[in-house]
Amino acid sequence: MHSNIDTLFSNMWDDYVTITPSAHKIHALLAGEENTDEIVNDHVAFRTFALDKTRLDKLAAHFLALGYEDKGDYDFEAKKLTAKHFEHPDDTKPKVFISELRVHELSDEAQRIIKKLVGQMPASVVEADNFLYSGKHWEVTKAEYDTLLNESEYAAWMAAWGFRANHFTVSVNHLTRTTELTDVNLLLKEAGFVLNTSGGEIKGGPDVYLAQSSTMADRADVVFSDETVSIPSCFYEFAQRYDMPNGERYQGFVAASADKIFESTNVK
């Protein structure tokens, strides 16, 4: 397990931008020409399979060991996902959102493929320091990917990319050029980035104390066991948080909005 939060996030970021080059460009765009503005990371999200070796709590253990605390539970019925979010007592540290696919709710064929993939993975890898940015630990064919994609985009993404940050998130509240998500979206579109419009360009808003938007995922090459194909990789999210009636800034997540954010990796 990592002994340092900043090192862990730095390593996860380095892995993420190798398959999400647009995140690097957006980071530079928002940091300004002088590149003097620090971009604060609101949260990082992970995906996994709800099987014994790879359950959500196996990923969470890496963060709990660094002082993170379990703060919320979420259910995405249509996408067959269970999720939790974690926060660190030091609120300058990014929040963590981890979801897992309820494999037992999929078709027999999809379950067979996923169990076959996870079966190739040594149980011990989940404890390795680099597990959260280690990628996939199995061979998967393009046909298996397509079969999963037909049923669950989430399952197909996991089969292709494995264990790594699915997205990082810019805290719009901490930007210096603007603290309004609408301005950020305009800036991104003017620069030629494509936004996820599922459920609207902005998901949520002041009424739920959280507004979110995201780019559509980049594409990157995945080496399947029989061919190499360019498929959606990861995306960049943007979050603006609002103060609740008690005066404290909302730190949770909104399931209805997150449901649409998941679609940022859909095949366009």
Side-chain angles (χ1 to χ4, degrees):
M1 300 268 175
H2 265 276
S3 57
N4 184 295
I5 294 176
D6 297 333
T7 307
L8 173 60
F9 279 96
S10 173
N11 291 343
M12 292 190 302
W13 171 263
D14 290 345
D15 171 70
Y16 163 77
V17 292
T18 59
I19 58 170
T20 322
S22 70
H24 233 2
K25 293 175 189 160
I26 291 169
H27 198 278
L29 177 72
L30 296 177
E33 287 171 15
E34 306 298 313
N35 207 25
T36 49
D37 298 352
E38 189 194 350
I39 303 297
V40 174
N41 181 17
D42 180 87
H43 70 273
V44 176
F46 294 87
R47 297 178 175 187
T48 191
F49 296 126
L51 295 174
D52 286 345
K53 274 189 211 171
T54 56
R55 286 190 195 284
L56 191 160
D57 61 10
K58 297 288 170 77
L59 280 69
H62 289 262
F63 296 104
L64 297 175
L66 292 169
Y68 275 79
E69 298 164 359
D70 183 344
K71 291 289 187 179
D73 295 272
Y74 309 86
D75 171 36
F76 301 92
E77 196 175 343
K79 290 185 173 63
K80 305 176 171 62
L81 307 174
T82 302
K84 285 179 177 285
H85 100 261
F86 303 84
E87 295 174 30
H88 196 274
D90 174 356
D91 64 8
T92 66
K93 303 301 180 196
K95 289 171 277 294
V96 174
F97 187 89
I98 307 175
S99 55
E100 63 179 3
L101 178 64
R102 297 191 290 264
V103 178
H104 66 279
E105 293 183 17
L106 300 179
S107 69
D108 289 349
E109 177 64 359
Q111 288 190 52
R112 185 192 67 74
I113 293 170
I114 293 168
K115 287 172 180 170
K116 182 184 139 191
L117 301 183
V118 174
Q120 298 171 49
M121 184 178 136
S124 61
V125 300
V126 301
E127 291 164 19
D129 275 1
N130 70 342
F131 175 60
L132 294 167
Y133 47 94
S134 62
K136 66 181 191 286
H137 297 266
W138 47 70
E139 290 287 319
V140 56
T141 66
K142 176 64 165 50
E144 288 169 333
Y145 169 80
D146 288 338
T147 299
L148 292 176
L149 187 61
N150 199 33
E151 190 170 334
S152 164
E153 182 282 325
Y154 183 110
W157 189 94
M158 266 305 296
W161 295 112
F163 301 95
R164 51 183 9 133
N166 171 259
H167 64 271
F168 275 70
T169 309
V170 172
S171 170
V172 174
N173 300 77
H174 290 89
L175 292 175
T176 49
R177 296 173 76 181
T178 175
T179 52
E180 288 296 327
L181 184 57
T182 46
D183 294 341
V184 172
N185 286 352
L186 193 60
L187 199 64
L188 293 168
K189 287 186 292 186
E190 284 173 350
F193 295 101
V194 179
L195 298 182
N196 169 353
T197 56
S198 175
E201 209 169 80
I202 291 180
K203 298 98 172 77
D207 54 326
V208 290
Y209 311 112
L210 174 64
Q212 295 163 275
S213 68
S214 61
T215 60
M216 288 302 288
D218 281 12
R219 295 181 82 86
D221 285 348
V222 166
V223 180
F224 292 105
S225 53
D226 47 353
E227 57 182 308
T228 298
V229 184
S230 176
I231 64 165
S233 54
C234 305
F235 58 95
Y236 213 178
E237 188 188 322
F238 313 90
Q240 180 178 354
R241 295 181 177 276
Y242 296 86
D243 290 345
M244 298 181 288
N246 65 4
E248 290 180 17
R249 187 169 288 168
Y250 182 69
Q251 296 299 327
F253 292 84
V254 177
S257 301
D259 186 72
K260 302 301 182 191
I261 293 284
F262 278 118
E263 293 171 24
S264 301
T265 49
N266 282 7
V267 176
K268 297 195 259 304

